[in-house]
Amino acid sequence: MEVHRSVRPNMRPGRQTTNSFLKSILIFTIVISFTVLLVGGYWIFKEMAPRPKEVRSEDGQVLMTKETIIGGQAVFQKYGLMDYGTVLGHGSYMGPDYTAEALKIYTEGMQDYKAKERYHKPFADLTDDEKTIIREQVIKEMRKNRYNPVTDVLVLTDAQVYGLEKVRDYYRDVFTNGDGWGLKKGLIKESDMPKSNRAWVADGDQIKQIADFFFWTAWLSSTPRLGDKITYTNNWPYYEDAGNTMSFSAVWWSGASVTILILFIGIILYVFHRYQLSMQEAYAEGKFPVIDLRRQPLTPSQVKAGKYFVVVAALFFVQAMFGALLAHYYTEPDSFFGIKWIHDLLPFNIAKGYHLQLAIFWIATAWLGMGIFIAPLVGGQEPKKQGLLVDLLFWALVVLVGGSMIGQWLGVNGYLGNEWFLLGHQGWEYIELGRVWQIILVVGMLLWLFIVFRGVKRGLKQESDKGGLIHLLFYSAIAVPFFYIFAFFIEPDTNFTMADFWRWWIIHLWVEGIFEVFAVVVIGFLLVQMRLVTKTSTVRALYFQFTILLGSGVIGIGHHYYYNGSPEIWIALGAVFSALEVIPLTLLILEAYEQYKMMRDGGVNFPYKATFWFLISTAIWNLVGAGVFGFLINLPAVSYFEHGQFLTPTHGHAAMMGVYGMFAIAVLLYSLRNIVKPEAWNDKWLKFSCWMLNIGLAGMVLITLLPVGVLQIKEAFEHGYWASRSPSFLQQDVVQNLLLVRFVPDTIFLIGVAALLVFAIKAMFHLRKPTHGEGEELPAANLAEEE
């Protein structure tokens, strides 16, 4: 079939000059972006809320110490409570935000103390005028920072001490008898951490320590920075009784970010079209290339990569089942259709940890398998012993997945004692892996990088341009293990604000940033490999896309730092650059449309239709999930009320599954298409799976998560943030009905997952035999030079 695009490659004057200019702009952008991020990190380190050496009452009694605050944070992490509730708005959404909850209890305790002191009766019994007087007294007292940086001592007033005792009493009851929602009774023992030489392990009463940690987060959220009028959390969470209302910066930078977004959309679209910075340029022959899969070269390591994709489909299925279990817990928090032992074995926090970790595992494994598959294609031959290394990496991944899941279960249930951080659940959402499992993960990624390097080494040598397509592919592969290293900067005694700074380097920069760059390179490589576009136009487009992706995305990480205890400047940085992240996502969907036209022009015999269906799905969800829903919650004025509510998983599900999940399936199908016998392939089966996954995901987001999120932000605006995160909000009839109806899209989605799993298993019985052995050159496989 003829193609209607007949632009001839390498005929446009100044093409090489354009590439050199784009390279320079990209390097400049990367240097500036990471400089801002690192300087901002140092600023966070210098300005984060203090953990006083001692917290004393006005008469000198020591109430808590830095060690007990650190110990309380360790208890919070040890029991995986960040996968149940949140602290400073970060974590999971079944339980409360412990900062907001503790702030409410602390404030009400002070109000009662002041009411009894002045009027000799509880606050609830006062008249409206009397309540107003007490509220003003409490706010004035709370808004004075009594921390002395010279002595490293914080002094609490008598009313604040009374509030602290109320917080302690409340959490002793909660962790002893359960919270009446999804928290097991007796989860935390008063003391099961024996004395240790590890500074971050606390001795003594664990419940008292975790209560003190929650109180500390409430104190820093309601106390102005020294010499400032805004609190350490920029006045978050919203609670008028504590004096927490939205700052001017949140309002101003919300408007400014939209204004700047409109300006940059115009500029970038002009540059994009003026200099034709896309992958639309086709080969000059005027005919669609004929791809005969029976004649495609195939090596032993490529065939062995097939088992990775079966594991991917299996992990995807298990991960989706955990998602269904979590959705059920929102309507029946203490059992599964009356079956108590399932909840006892897999309570919400453990199931949530598995759900998140398995998502990273199956998506990353798909990308690793694809890297193994394309390495010989790039290098033009199969290195010796490549298959052995592929098998070794596979079994290392099996050990990692199995061992880490067992370790997480043992750690959260308290069976690992002081070794919870090393072998169990590390305690940070998305970074559940214990330190030992993290090390194994990095070693595995380095082994994968070595496998890829051996495969592409020949192609790298033959590509004269060190910024060419093969080099870009290899550079992006290097970044995958490199950027995970920042997970090792977090220790249990790291200040929560600083730990959260590094945590988002993993979630935002590693998962959302580096994987995004890797995905864009791989898509470009696949298009060139399938002879749909020229290598020259692809490289030019990649440099442009990298510049706006990294230019907006790196500093855009700041939207995670608005209210976690970081300086106010992050509201400005995060708001502006997070808004700009929408632009590259929009351009990617324009590229996807061009890719769709390429697939359509390929005719009925084009073998990679299923891959393109999922690539198009990736692009659509990139715009909707990452772009639209991300933009919605990143505006500071919205985030102030929404931070840690259901609008966050609305964005999270649409972006994580919609973008990275769909792309992982796309590369899975591309690889399988080349190693499975053509006569055993069934596109109808995959088309069904694609529709089920997209319909199911759209249903989850639009039927349940989005409307519940809208109701929740309204609840926060009207009654305070704490109210929107209380069990009573989730127990409302309208919310429960929205949560119950989710079973329909969830079921549709699970059918799509099951179809993909069955297809992958059946495919393993129809693998092609290798056509080339170790050291043999592969015909027409070298992409080092443009044809």
Side-chain angles (χ1 to χ4, degrees):
M1 177 173 289
E2 292 188 358
V3 179
H4 299 293
R5 296 176 306 279
S6 57
V7 179
R8 189 174 300 275
N10 296 323
M11 297 301 291
R12 188 178 180 87
R15 182 68 50 80
Q16 189 61 41
T17 302
T18 300
N19 281 1
S20 298
F21 178 70
L22 288 172
K23 289 179 189 177
S24 300
I25 293 296
L26 174 60
I27 293 171
F28 176 78
T29 300
I30 292 174
V31 171
I32 292 299
S33 297
F34 278 96
T35 298
V36 170
L37 194 57
L38 289 171
V39 170
Y42 177 74
W43 200 345
I44 289 176
F45 176 75
K46 296 293 289 183
E47 297 293 326
M48 61 189 178
R51 292 180 296 186
K53 179 181 66 177
E54 290 181 347
V55 177
R56 298 177 184 169
S57 63
E58 290 181 307
D59 62 6
Q61 179 185 358
V62 176
L63 303 169
M64 68 182 81
T65 65
K66 181 177 181 178
E67 286 70 27
T68 58
I69 294 173
I70 293 174
Q73 180 176 314
V75 174
F76 174 73
Q77 294 174 234
K78 173 186 175 182
Y79 292 99
L81 287 171
M82 200 176 195
D83 280 322
Y84 176 69
T86 57
V87 162
L88 295 171
H90 294 291
S92 189
Y93 317 110
M94 175 73 164
D97 179 83
Y98 291 108
T99 299
E101 187 177 62
L103 177 60
K104 176 179 178 290
I105 298 166
Y106 163 44
T107 304
E108 289 178 346
M110 290 186 68
Q111 289 173 342
D112 261 345
Y113 183 90
K114 290 289 186 182
K116 292 174 182 176
E117 182 181 55
R118 180 163 183 157
Y119 298 108
H120 308 290
K121 52 185 175 180
F123 180 79
D125 295 339
L126 301 182
T127 66
D128 290 343
D129 288 342
E130 290 171 339
K131 286 182 178 179
T132 299
I133 293 172
I134 295 299
R135 285 194 185 98
E136 290 176 353
Q137 287 184 350
V138 167
I139 290 173
K140 183 177 180 180
E141 195 163 301
M142 292 179 74
R143 306 301 275 194
K144 183 177 180 179
N145 193 334
R146 296 174 179 81
Y147 171 70
N148 187 329
V150 177
T151 61
D152 197 16
V153 171
L154 169 65
V155 176
L156 300 182
T157 66
D158 290 343
Q160 288 177 309
V161 173
Y162 187 80
L164 167 62
E165 292 302 326
K166 289 295 182 182
V167 170
R168 287 173 172 172
D169 291 344
Y170 177 82
Y171 286 112
R172 185 164 303 282
D173 178 64
V174 163
F175 290 115
T176 301
N177 302 313
D179 63 356
W181 187 234
L183 199 68
K184 292 198 308 185
K185 294 181 180 180
L187 174 66
I188 299 177
K189 310 300 185 295
E190 287 194 4
S191 178
D192 67 354
M193 284 185 174
K195 189 163 184 162
S196 169
N197 58 3
R198 295 193 181 97
W200 44 263
V201 173
D203 304 323
D205 188 343
Q206 290 190 103
I207 295 179
K208 179 175 176 290
Q209 289 169 29
I210 195 172
D212 289 351
F213 169 63
F214 292 156
F215 174 85
W216 174 75
T217 67
W219 172 83
L220 69 92
S221 72
S222 57
T223 303
R225 296 176 184 274
L226 290 171
D228 203 346
K229 294 182 179 180
I230 198 168
T231 74
Y232 289 98
T233 58
N234 303 319
N235 285 0
W236 187 91
Y238 173 55
Y239 187 45
E240 291 184 342
D241 278 15
N244 275 6
T245 56
M246 186 161 53
S247 67
F248 170 75
S249 291
V251 178
W252 164 249
W253 286 109
S254 294
S257 65
V258 176
T259 305
I260 295 171
L261 169 65
I262 295 171
L263 172 65
F264 271 85
I265 285 177
I267 295 173
I268 291 176
L269 287 181
Y270 168 77
V271 174
F272 179 73
H273 288 289
R274 170 65 178 82
Y275 297 100
Q276 299 181 19
L277 299 173
S278 69
M279 301 180 193
Q280 298 176 17
E281 191 172 272
Y283 280 88
E285 293 83 10
K287 292 184 179 293
F288 198 92
V290 176
I291 301 175
D292 185 355
L293 293 176
R294 292 179 177 82
R295 300 181 62 184
Q296 290 284 90
L298 193 65
T299 69
S301 69
Q302 290 179 310
V303 176
K304 288 188 174 186
K307 58 179 172 285
Y308 283 75
F309 302 119
V310 177
V311 170
V312 166
L315 292 179
F316 183 22
F317 181 78
V318 175
Q319 187 252 342
M321 293 299 289
F322 274 115
L325 177 62
L326 292 170
H328 178 84
Y329 280 151
Y330 279 101
T331 58
E332 190 182 8
D334 59 352
S335 67
F336 183 72
F337 293 107
I339 306 175
K340 294 285 188 181
W341 67 264
I342 293 181
H343 177 265
D344 293 339
L345 181 66
L346 295 169
F348 188 94
N349 56 333
I350 293 179
K352 178 65 182 292
Y354 284 168
H355 181 62
L356 292 176
Q357 203 59 51
L358 286 172
I360 295 176
F361 278 147
W362 77 259
I363 292 171
T365 301
W367 294 24
L368 297 181
M370 180 273 304
I372 291 170
F373 173 80
I374 67 174
L377 298 178
V378 177
Q381 67 178 19
E382 171 92 333
K384 292 183 179 180
K385 305 297 183 182
Q386 188 83 331
L388 178 63
L389 292 175
V390 170
D391 287 338
L392 179 62
L393 176 60
F394 176 81
W395 290 111
L397 290 173
V398 170
V399 171
L400 172 64
V401 174
S404 63
M405 291 185 71
I406 294 172
Q408 287 180 45
W409 190 89
L410 293 173
V412 170
N413 282 288
Y415 294 118
L416 295 179
N418 284 329
E419 309 308 322
W420 61 271
F421 181 76
L422 297 177
L423 297 169
H425 189 302
Q426 192 174 135
W428 298 100
E429 188 192 34
Y430 282 103
I431 313 179
E432 279 80 5
L433 294 179
R435 183 53 48 87
V436 169
W437 308 114
Q438 283 184 321
I439 293 172
I440 294 175
L441 175 61
V442 171
V443 170
M445 288 191 291
L446 291 174
L447 176 59
W448 170 77
L449 182 62
F450 180 62
I451 292 171
V452 171
F453 172 71
R454 295 177 83 239
V456 305
K457 181 169 62 174
R458 188 163 172 259
L460 290 171
K461 290 180 179 178
Q462 293 177 349
E463 186 173 59
S464 57
D465 182 5
K466 301 305 179 185
L469 183 59
I470 297 176
H471 280 80
L472 288 177
L473 185 67
F474 185 58
Y475 298 152
S476 63
I478 292 174
V480 171
F482 175 76
F483 271 85
Y484 190 80
I485 292 174
F486 297 100
F488 293 89
F489 286 26
I490 303 174
E491 295 289 340
D493 60 347
T494 305
N495 186 296
F496 191 95
T497 301
M498 201 66 210
D500 211 46
F501 172 79
W502 292 117
R503 186 174 76 96
W504 286 110
W505 274 60
I506 303 303
I507 303 172
H508 186 99
L509 286 185
W510 186 60
V511 175
E512 296 183 36
I514 299 306
F515 276 30
E516 186 96 47
V517 168
F518 186 61
V520 171
V521 177
V522 169
I523 290 173
F525 171 82
L526 295 182
L527 293 175
V528 174
Q529 176 69 18
M530 291 183 283
R531 295 294 190 264
L532 298 179
V533 296
T534 65
K535 179 183 173 185
T536 302
S537 67
T538 298
V539 172
R540 190 173 68 250
L542 288 176
Y543 277 116
F544 176 69
Q545 291 175 2
F546 288 168
T547 299
I548 56 177
L549 269 173
L550 296 176
S552 60
V554 173
I555 302 178
I557 194 176
H559 68 259
H560 299 292
Y561 301 150
Y562 294 162
Y563 309 118
N564 72 344
S566 301
E568 191 177 15
I569 185 62
W570 283 109
I571 293 181
L573 292 173
V576 172
F577 287 90
S578 294
L580 296 180
E581 288 183 64
V582 177
I583 300 175
L585 303 180
T586 304
L587 294 180
L588 289 177
I589 198 170
L590 296 178
E591 291 288 357
Y593 177 69
E594 292 301 321
Q595 294 160 16
Y596 166 75
K597 291 196 296 184
M598 294 171 196
M599 183 199 75
R600 183 189 61 194
D601 292 342
V604 294
N605 294 322
F606 183 63
Y608 299 109
K609 286 184 178 180
T611 295
F612 268 78
W613 294 331
F614 282 97
L615 285 179
I616 298 300
S617 300
T618 299
I620 293 173
W621 284 109
N622 214 355
L623 176 62
V624 176
V628 175
F629 291 140
F631 177 75
L632 172 63
I633 66 172
N634 291 342
L635 289 172
V638 176
S639 182
Y640 181 76
F641 295 101
E642 182 281 332
H643 188 48
Q645 293 178 358
F646 266 64
L647 286 181
T648 299
T650 299
H651 158 65
H653 280 74
M656 189 71 173
M657 177 58 220
V659 180
Y660 300 105
M662 294 295 184
F663 181 71
I665 298 172
V667 299
L668 176 154
L669 295 178
Y670 173 80
S671 303
L672 281 182
R673 190 69 174 99
N674 290 279
I675 66 177
V676 173
K677 295 175 182 177
E679 61 271 16
W681 195 263
N682 189 340
D683 273 338
K684 291 181 180 180
W685 193 269
L686 295 172
K687 190 173 187 178
F688 172 77
S689 175
C690 184
W691 275 110
M692 291 295 101
L693 291 175
N694 277 286
I695 293 172
L697 181 59
M700 287 182 214
V701 170
L702 299 177
I703 294 175
T704 297
L705 297 176
L706 180 61
V708 171
V710 172
L711 292 173
Q712 201 168 25
I713 197 172
K714 182 174 182 289
E715 181 80 7
F717 181 80
E718 293 179 347
H719 302 290
Y721 182 82
W722 69 270
S724 69
R725 292 295 307 278
S726 65
S728 60
F729 169 79
L730 293 174
Q731 291 168 351
Q732 295 179 79
D733 289 343
V734 62
V735 175
Q736 283 292 300
N737 289 335
L738 287 170
L739 293 169
L740 280 169
V741 77
R742 182 179 163 177
F743 86 91
V744 176
D746 278 8
T747 302
I748 294 172
F749 186 85
L750 286 170
I751 291 172
V753 180
L756 182 67
L757 175 59
V758 172
F759 179 89
I761 293 173
K762 290 174 65 176
M764 289 301 98
F765 294 97
H766 301 281
L767 298 180
R768 294 170 56 205
K769 292 182 179 180
T771 60
H772 293 72
E774 295 179 354
E776 293 184 40
E777 186 169 344
L778 306 183
N782 192 352
L783 299 179
E785 301 297 336
E786 187 75 76
E787 293 185 5

